[in-house]
Amino acid sequence: MSRFQGRQVAAGTFVSMYVGGELVFDLKSIEAKFTIDKEDVIQNGTKSKDTKQVTVGGEGTFVTHHVYTRAKKLFDQFKAGKEIGYEDIIITLQDPDTNGIETWEIDRISLDEFSLIVSENASLVENETPFTFNPDDVTLKEVIARPAVSN
């Protein structure tokens, strides 16, 4: 049985993020994940301890290169007393060496913080933005197909 080939492993270079239909060209990295809260379940008559999942949350971080002032729109949201975040987030992975495109849609992300200015001597300026979201607002639109395995 043959294994997958190295070229079939998706590369982060081919990930794109769209906010409100606009491509974020300056994206360096992104992570979005579900966080699962569990509670201990003690089983009577034994020394065993198990767990039960009780809630699921969504959180992530994206990093952008500082190409333009992204904080103005967010600052205006803050000044207007609105929740700070973005609507209609679409994240795609479209590596030409994979069997398709993976597309995730998140209806809204709420920012945990946003940088007004970040700077370090002799370094590129990047903005790291942590966020949260409701897992019920996530849709997996397209998946990368499992490659055929030959014997």
Side-chain angles (χ1 to χ4, degrees), residues 109-129:
I109 61 173
S110 176
L111 302 187
D112 296 340
E113 62 183 55
F114 71 95
S115 299
L116 300 175
I117 185 66
V118 176
S119 179
E120 183 179 333
N121 231 0
S123 295
L124 297 176
V125 176
E126 299 174 349
N127 298 302
E128 182 174 325
T129 307

Side-chain angles (χ1 to χ4, degrees), residues 8 19 28 36 65 92 99 132 134 138 148:
Q8 293 174 295
V19 176
K28 180 180 179 189
I36 302 168
H65 298 288
T92 63
N99 289 336
T132 55
N134 183 334
V138 177

